[in-house]
Amino acid sequence: MKRRVLLLLTAAAVSGCVWAQEPGYPITVVPPGKGPYQFPQGYQTPWDKIEMLVTEKLAPNLYSLHGSAGLDPAHPDAAGGRVAVLFGSDGVLMVDTEDPQLAAKTLDTIRTFTSAPIKIVVNSHIHPDHTGGNSFFAKQGAVIFAQENLRDEMLSPPGNASRAPDPAGVPTSTYKYGSTGAPAVTIHMNGETVDFIPMMPSHTAGDTIVRFNKANVIYIEDFYRNFGYPFADQANGGSIKGMIEAVDLIQKLAGPDTTLIPGHGTLVRKKDLLGYRGMLVDILGKVQKLRDEGKSLDEVLAANLTAPYDGTTQGDTRQSKDRFITEVYDELKDFPPVVNGERKMPRRTGPGR
């Protein structure tokens, strides 16, 4: 495989050049489901029934894959997390690896459009719907890249220190968050230039976005979502304010026609993130006001602060709303620092947790 991996040990300047996309791309092959979805008490995900599908074609040699809609209660719009696949004579580069139950199906789907060997995996963040297939693809020959915080989180899961990961699935090539927006790794492969850009703590403390320069595409993982309300995994170092910073960074990195690939939901452009940012700022301000008045978490939840956004937020559930508001409430007072990719968040059994 002809590839060069450039580790940028000093801050790299963000390129001002925005490539033009291939005419006719992106193509949505299978859109995510819209719902609403209801799952009975005790429902178990039927992994054997979930299909892995090519859901978007982003360039002639860049596709994204997702699972069937309506079967995974954690992600009912499309099972698991979205996987991006760059392919060609140099081999396959993957962004994320799906849930462990879907790894073999993911490979089978990749084999419908390329027989090239799996060479590189980069993890966008720690969650198992994005890293669960790591060991499977490592055993296919992939080298796994990730932020150093992600590797640390995988080796020492918050609140789950006794759970030993499969060593094969732990990233072996790591990098740190440094200068905002600077690539930590650049890979030249299959005629494409791919940048791994470590992010500030936003969805988690180990986030990475992946820029495909020629295709004019950026995989922006889960700090943005348009199905359900925002999720900052604070125990893994995430932050609502960090999500605002992440949106601001995308406004600088992306051109008006750059295709942005969230880990879940529909493809978007950078203008589509502005309403999401506005909601985050609005909710932060409203929760801050209620906290300043001495309101408890239960009182803040009862205020139904997301009501103005419910009509335009697909997949909104009481659990999704309460989780979001609880995260904002926790972040606005005595927010613990990130230590080795983790925050020691309060444990609750009531609403919002």
Side-chain angles (χ1 to χ4, degrees):
M1 178 188 74
K2 306 171 194 173
R3 82 166 187 251
R4 287 178 293 154
V5 179
L6 175 62
L7 297 176
L8 302 179
L9 300 179
T10 56
V14 176
S15 171
C17 175
V18 177
W19 295 79
Q21 287 177 300
E22 291 273 353
Y25 291 91
I27 301 167
T28 297
V29 181
V30 181
K34 295 183 178 180
Y37 298 101
Q38 299 291 331
F39 297 94
Q41 187 76 21
Y43 176 89
Q44 298 294 315
T45 303
W47 297 105
D48 59 320
K49 295 182 180 179
I50 293 173
E51 296 180 84
M52 285 302 299
L53 309 165
V54 174
T55 51
E56 293 89 16
K57 295 183 178 181
L58 305 150
N61 66 339
L62 178 62
Y63 294 175
S64 56
L65 282 57
H66 229 150
S68 309
L71 294 173
D72 175 5
H75 306 105
D77 57 319
R82 188 179 263 115
V83 175
V85 181
L86 176 73
F87 58 97
S89 59
D90 293 338
V92 170
L93 179 152
M94 297 174 60
V95 182
D96 292 339
T97 60
E98 261 295 347
D99 285 292
Q101 300 92 334
L102 299 176
K105 290 184 179 183
T106 299
L107 180 60
D108 288 344
T109 302
I110 291 171
R111 290 293 173 242
T112 66
F113 56 83
T114 180
S115 60
I118 311 297
K119 293 291 186 178
I120 294 173
V121 164
V122 56
N123 287 150
S124 70
H125 63 283
I126 186 67
H127 294 151
D129 56 313
H130 293 264
T131 63
N134 274 16
S135 60
F136 177 89
F137 284 100
K139 291 166 186 174
Q140 308 300 314
V143 176
I144 302 177
F145 288 76
Q147 240 201 95
E148 193 168 296
N149 273 341
L150 187 152
R151 174 183 165 86
D152 292 342
E153 292 164 10
M154 192 172 284
L155 290 171
S156 301
N160 221 346
S162 62
R163 189 186 70 194
D166 183 340
V170 177
T172 55
S173 295
T174 61
Y175 43 85
K176 294 183 178 181
Y177 172 68
S179 179
T180 301
V185 175
T186 296
I187 292 178
H188 302 275
M189 186 175 180
N190 298 322
E192 180 61 273
T193 301
V194 188
D195 295 323
F196 301 167
I197 303 174
M199 296 292 283
M200 66 289 291
S202 46
H203 183 54
T204 73
D207 292 1
T208 293
I209 62 172
V210 182
R211 179 171 59 191
F212 298 89
N213 288 276
K214 184 175 180 181
N216 196 16
V217 166
I218 305 176
Y219 184 104
I220 62 169
E221 48 99 16
D222 288 10
F223 69 79
Y224 166 84
R225 64 193 305 157
N226 54 21
F227 192 91
Y229 279 96
F231 173 36
D233 184 352
Q234 294 167 319
N236 275 312
S239 163
I240 298 293
K241 292 180 179 178
M243 287 179 165
I244 295 172
E245 294 175 10
V247 171
D248 291 343
L249 177 59
I250 295 298
Q251 297 301 313
K252 297 176 182 177
L253 294 180
D257 297 323
T258 302
T259 297
L260 305 178
I261 312 173
H264 309 275
T266 61
L267 304 182
V268 292
R269 309 282 188 182
K270 70 175 186 178
K271 64 180 176 57
D272 299 315
L273 274 59
L274 295 178
Y276 183 80
R277 185 191 191 280
M279 177 185 68
L280 294 174
V281 172
D282 180 45
I283 296 296
L284 277 165
K286 289 176 176 175
V287 174
Q288 182 69 70
K289 181 175 182 295
L290 293 174
R291 288 216 68 157
D292 291 346
E293 294 171 1
K295 302 296 185 184
S296 68
L297 173 59
D298 286 348
E299 290 173 315
V300 174
L301 291 172
N304 196 22
L305 300 178
T306 61
Y309 307 101
D310 290 349
T312 56
T313 301
Q314 290 186 356
D316 64 311
T317 63
R318 174 53 56 191
Q319 180 185 18
S320 175
K321 296 174 189 178
D322 286 355
R323 181 180 66 186
F324 172 43
I325 297 299
T326 300
E327 289 163 359
V328 176
Y329 185 90
D330 286 343
E331 185 162 338
L332 289 174
K333 184 178 180 182
D334 301 328
F335 199 39
V338 177
V339 179
N340 296 327
E342 301 177 19
R343 277 196 180 93
K344 302 298 183 185
M345 297 302 298
R347 300 278 177 184
R348 294 195 182 91
T349 57
R353 278 291 183 265

